[in-house]
Amino acid sequence: MITLGIETSCDETALALIRDGKLLHDVISSQTDIHSLFGGVVPEIASREHYRLIGRLFADLLKKTDLSIAMIDTVAVSRGPGLLGSLLVGLGFAKGLAAASNARLVGVNHLHAHLLAAGLEQQLRFPAVGLLVSGGHTHIYHILSANDFRLLGRTLDDAAGEAFDKVAKMLNMPYPGGHLIDRIGRMAMPDVKLFTKPYVDNDNLDFSFSGLKTAASLHIQRNPHLRFSSPAEAARRCAVAEEETTSLQELAVLCASFNHTVAQTLRIKMQRALERLMTQEQGRPVSLVVAGGVAANSMVREAMTGLAEHFDVEAVLPSLSLCTDNGAMVAYAGEQLARLGLRHLPDLEAIPRGQAIPDDMVRDEGACPAICGK
């Protein structure tokens, strides 16, 4: 089975082709440089860039894989959550391709695709407990299969990735700056008393990072010398950060402390989830899956790996290239659904952030789990 994955949920235009779970090739165009001028993603600009780029990227992908449209069995596309205008560009393109090639159309939950992405590199074992931690979401799931995700906890305000990027902006770092906080933070030991772990004195699995973001803001206001003079200066100095360990030491402590606080907050909630799920007779996790942009953070990866070892479950962390938005994860998730005989009809709708994604797939008559072809 050959599956095309289309990802346009935010500001990356990404497409990939996979054959039977193996990546053939992927292409991606990031809009980071454009949106960094505004300190964040501008939805109207994002959708126009997707529209401008998606056709030529698809043509490039076919050329590099030496495939034709007629050879595609399944067209998988991120249908949400995301920016509505951006989603509509990808969805319209996917519907056109599916109609032209008589391929199966599969709308993919963007969040679930992140958590399945590691399946491109290793076999996923279910049941699993999954942590999705990105710029827009911080969710905990009980994952029973590639098509059975049960939400256990979610962010009540700022997601972890959003908090990283906003603190980076306060420090005058270029957007998105979360990875720069991680890089500089690796140069120092955290001050574990600098920040309080947010929203952990409860018994639920939800998150709230707005208070931590405010605490970091107040610390920066009291220490304005920590700010870079401009994003350009921040980019220049961060590029050679290891050579400026002395001049960046105080900033490194701040970044390390922020990294530590986020990572330990995630660890506490995930430990709580694992403790509860381990008491169940059915659905006991055998793996811990971490996904999303913040899954690339070094302290988060270290904390989750240690937690998996403590509970004697497999730690599943995708490579750094699969943590951010990409077409390969959409293609892989779509292929898993197609192999279950599931598809969408041409009236498939885009679902923006904040709205529940409906269970509106239909099953092919006579389909079996190993379904192939069109």
Side-chain angles (χ1 to χ4, degrees), residues 220-234:
I220 295 169
Q221 289 176 27
R222 292 192 297 267
N223 299 275
H225 61 281
L226 294 175
R227 295 191 186 100
F228 292 102
S229 62
S230 68
E233 188 219 0

Side-chain angles (χ1 to χ4, degrees), residues 273-338:
L274 278 162
E275 288 172 346
R276 294 177 183 180
L277 293 175
M278 286 296 181
T279 63
Q280 298 184 5
E281 292 186 5
Q282 295 183 337
R284 286 169 56 92
V286 296
S287 62
L288 187 161
V289 182
V290 188
V294 183
N297 181 278
S298 58
M299 285 194 180
V300 171
R301 294 176 82 88
E302 181 180 337
M304 293 302 110
T305 300
L307 190 61
E309 291 176 355
H310 176 75
F311 282 90
D312 194 27
V313 297
E314 181 182 9
V316 180
L317 293 94
S319 61
L320 301 186
S321 63
L322 289 176
C323 289
T324 55
D325 292 348
N326 61 88
M329 69 179 193
V330 177
Y332 182 79
E335 182 185 86
Q336 301 310 300
L337 295 171

